[in-house]
């Protein structure tokens, strides 16, 4: 077993669980699952009730792109008061998906013949796997400058070096996995300006998996709705992440495109879905579609999600203070499930932490990810003493 296999999420979680069964106090910062302080997975009963009570209604095959109630409801959930303006300015192609991962796969697969993917140097490792399965080549640009700003200069340099194909640029924002970095409003303006500079060479895909747990949610949605870019804008969304249904895969791939352009996307999406999972997850998006129609229930869940977002921010700020006190450098964290710090010989340090019953995951030889989402407030004091 190499170092990366030893410190991947499954291996680390297994060791943490074993140590916990031995009666030890364990800080398990490995899982990208959101937990309450009592150790239970965060979920929202107003949504749960619709899925559970309507189980038998949605055992049939579902429409390939998802039921209308799911599409309409999810679009309203995402864009809120900006949806009407979006519909006035753009056409919308929509397909339900088995989580954010399948949304990404559908996008990658549909553009594989004509595009090269451009990924950031610090990224969710599964992007690489999805590229391999979708048979699409990818290139890497540097994510951060030396002063921890988004590296637009290296991004443009890599764009200029890709000559033979168009580019699908992947930006995981907000709450970038694994750093918790968020684009500013100015970053979005610069990004859109860069895309337009190259006419139709660059297509942007925003991976919005953590949108609902971001401190900049409203700003991002307004930027998306008003995006001045000429090329189609792809959005990968994870309802599984938003609602705590990690094992019940649900999400969406959305394409926003010009009113003057025909929908060339939906039929392609249907073909990919037909050749992979056959049809949408009717059990998942059927029940959630009914939930979306209950506006009082929707509002209650939004309030609860905001509360969890605030709790994550508090935990994140606590971790940042500990890292500063220990003189450990970390990447910019604004909100979300993760924070990532820098440590020479990271595998050796992770082994040391595990001797103290602290479990994190390895990003590379000098980078370690803490899953704030799986921590409790009581863990902060233990980390302050043992980190």
């Amino acid at each position: 077993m190499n170092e990366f296999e030893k410190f991947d999420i499954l291996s680390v979680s297994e060791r943490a669980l074993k140590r916990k069964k031995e009666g030890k106090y364990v800080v398990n910062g490995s899982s990208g699952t959101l937990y309450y302080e009592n150790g239970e997975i965060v979920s929202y009963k107003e949504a749960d009730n619709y899925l559970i009570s309507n189980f038998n209604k949605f055992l049939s095959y579902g429409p390939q792109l998802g039921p209308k109630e799911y599409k309409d409801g999810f679009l309203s959930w995402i864009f809120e008061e900006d949806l009407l303006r979006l519909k006035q300015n753009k056409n919308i192609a929509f397909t339900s998906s088995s989580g954010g991962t399948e949304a990404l796969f559908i996008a990658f697969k549909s553009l594989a013949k004509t595009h090269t993917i451009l990924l950031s140097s610090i990224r969710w490792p599964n992007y690489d796997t999805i590229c391999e399965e979708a048979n699409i080549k990818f290139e890497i640009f540097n994510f951060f400058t030396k002063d921890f700003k988004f590296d637009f200069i290296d991004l443009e340099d890599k764009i200029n070096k890709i000559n033979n194909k168009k580019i699908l640029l992947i930006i995981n924002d907000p709450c970038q996995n694994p750093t918790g970095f968020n684009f500013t409003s100015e970053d979005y303006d610069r990004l859109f300006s860069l895309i337009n500079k190259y006419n139709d060479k660059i297509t942007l895909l925003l991976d919005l998996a953590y949108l609902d747990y971001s401190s900049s949610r409203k700003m991002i949605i307004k930027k998306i709705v008003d995006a001045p870019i000429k090329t189609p804008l792809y959005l990968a969304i994870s309802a599984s992440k938003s609602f705590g249904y990690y094992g019940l895969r649900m999400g969406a791939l959305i394409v926003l495109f010009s009113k003057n352009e025909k929908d060339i996307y939906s039929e392609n999406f249907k073909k990919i879905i037909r050749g992979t999972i056959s049809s949408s997850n009717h059990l998942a998006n059927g029940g959630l579609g009914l939930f979306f129609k209950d506006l009082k229930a929707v509002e209650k869940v939004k309030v609860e999600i905001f509360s969890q977002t605030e709790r994550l921010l508090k935990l994140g700020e606590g971790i940042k203070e500990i890292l500063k006190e220990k003189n450990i450098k970390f990447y910019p964290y604004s909100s979300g499930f993760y924070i990532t710090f820098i440590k020479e010989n990271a595998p050796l340090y992770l082994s040391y932490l595990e001797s103290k019953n602290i479990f994190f995951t390895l990003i590379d030889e000098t980078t370690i990810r803490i899953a704030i989402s799986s921590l409790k407030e009581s863990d902060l004091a233990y980390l302050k003493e043992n980190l």
Side-chain angles (χ1 to χ4, degrees):
M1 179 184 293
N2 62 38
E3 290 171 341
F4 290 98
E5 290 173 339
K6 179 181 178 182
F7 293 109
D8 76 352
I9 294 173
L10 295 179
S11 299
V12 173
S13 295
E14 185 178 344
R15 291 196 297 275
L17 181 61
K18 181 180 178 182
R19 200 75 60 88
K20 192 173 182 179
K21 286 180 178 179
E22 293 171 356
K24 305 287 194 338
Y25 184 90
V26 171
V27 176
N28 185 4
S30 65
S31 174
T33 302
L34 184 58
Y35 289 94
Y36 290 114
E37 290 286 324
N38 64 6
E40 294 180 2
I41 291 178
V42 171
S43 64
Y44 306 102
K45 66 178 182 180
E46 284 80 8
D48 297 349
N49 289 341
Y50 275 97
L51 269 72
I52 294 168
S53 61
N54 292 285
F55 178 89
N56 289 329
K57 291 182 181 178
F58 301 110
L59 296 178
S60 62
Y61 287 113
Q64 283 183 318
L65 301 183
K68 184 178 185 301
E69 293 81 5
Y70 179 74
K71 172 186 175 180
D72 292 347
F74 205 7
L75 287 173
S76 293
W77 172 274
I78 296 162
F79 294 102
E80 298 177 321
E81 67 271 12
D82 295 305
L83 180 59
L84 179 60
R85 189 159 50 87
L86 174 64
K87 288 181 175 180
Q88 290 171 343
N89 297 329
K90 298 283 186 180
N91 281 331
I92 304 171
F94 179 101
T95 180
S96 69
S97 64
S98 295
T101 303
E102 196 206 4
L104 291 164
F105 176 81
I106 294 169
F108 289 14
K109 188 71 175 177
S110 66
L111 297 174
K113 292 180 180 179
T114 54
H115 289 65
T116 292
I117 286 191
L118 198 47
L119 299 171
S120 59
S121 54
I122 301 172
R123 62 190 180 278
W124 181 44
N126 207 32
Y127 285 135
D128 301 38
T129 305
I130 299 168
C131 285
E132 291 169 9
E133 293 304 310
N135 197 26
I136 186 168
K137 293 182 179 179
F138 65 91
E139 300 287 343
I140 305 297
F141 69 92
N142 186 54
F143 191 66
F144 284 121
T145 61
K146 290 181 179 179
D147 58 350
F148 290 150
K149 304 293 185 183
F150 184 81
D151 198 340
F152 281 100
I153 293 175
D154 193 69
L155 171 58
E156 187 163 7
D157 182 59
K158 290 298 188 296
I159 289 169
N160 289 329
K161 289 178 179 177
I162 298 173
N163 296 317
N164 60 330
K165 280 193 174 184
K166 292 184 177 181
I167 293 168
L168 178 61
L169 173 61
I170 312 302
I171 298 293
N172 180 198
D173 188 80
C175 312
Q176 196 253 4
N177 181 357
T179 65
F181 172 80
N182 282 6
F183 266 40
T184 64
S185 176
E186 292 74 21
D187 286 333
Y188 272 102
D189 291 340
R190 188 170 177 183
L191 177 64
F192 295 155
S193 178
L194 177 64
I195 290 169
N196 281 337
K197 178 179 177 180
Y198 289 88
N199 297 315
D200 64 346
K201 181 177 180 179
I202 305 169
T203 297
L204 175 63
L205 187 154
L206 292 175
D207 182 351
L208 301 171
Y210 299 92
L211 176 69
D212 284 317
Y213 296 94
S214 165
S215 56
S216 54
R217 187 193 196 284
K218 287 191 176 296
M219 178 275 288
I220 291 167
I221 290 302
K222 290 188 181 300
K223 288 292 181 182
I224 289 171
V225 171
D226 296 325
I229 55 178
K230 304 166 188 174
T231 50
L233 175 57
Y234 284 68
L235 309 173
I237 316 282
S238 173
S240 299
K241 192 76 67 180
S242 294
F243 295 98
Y245 301 141
Y246 305 96
L248 185 60
R249 311 300 295 148
M250 57 177 81
L253 176 64
I254 299 168
V255 184
L256 308 180
F257 57 100
S258 168
K259 282 285 188 180
N260 299 321
E261 184 184 348
K262 292 182 179 179
D263 182 0
I264 60 173
Y265 309 98
S266 297
E267 287 305 315
N268 200 14
F269 296 164
K270 284 181 182 179
K271 184 178 179 181
I272 294 169
I273 291 167
R274 182 64 176 164
T276 52
I277 61 171
S278 182
S279 69
S280 65
N281 186 337
H282 205 194
L283 179 61
N285 53 40
L288 204 61
L290 294 178
F291 159 74
F292 284 138
K293 294 172 73 173
D294 186 340
L295 299 185
K296 288 184 178 179
V298 165
E299 188 56 35
K300 284 183 180 179
V301 172
K302 287 205 177 246
V303 169
E304 289 182 46
I305 288 178
F306 179 78
S307 175
Q308 291 303 319
T309 302
E310 291 290 295
R311 186 171 69 90
L312 280 169
L313 280 169
K314 185 177 180 181
L315 286 168
E317 290 301 315
I319 294 292
K320 285 164 66 173
E321 287 303 312
I322 293 169
L323 293 173
K324 288 176 184 177
E325 186 179 303
K326 303 288 184 178
N327 293 315
I328 299 174
K329 289 184 178 181
F330 56 92
Y331 290 110
Y333 171 85
S334 297
S335 58
F337 281 36
Y338 309 107
I339 190 167
T340 297
F341 66 91
I342 302 164
K343 196 76 174 177
E344 291 298 323
N345 202 343
L348 182 63
Y349 187 64
L350 283 173
S351 294
Y352 161 76
L353 290 178
E354 290 197 9
S355 73
K356 300 285 187 177
N357 301 319
I358 298 170
F359 295 83
F360 301 147
T361 51
L362 183 68
I363 300 298
D364 58 41
E365 291 293 335
T366 60
T367 315
I368 293 170
R369 189 189 77 173
I370 303 173
I372 301 169
S373 55
S374 60
L375 298 183
K376 305 183 293 293
E377 193 170 339
S378 60
D379 292 334
L380 296 181
Y382 189 86
L383 288 172
K384 186 173 183 178
E385 181 179 347
N386 293 284
L387 204 60

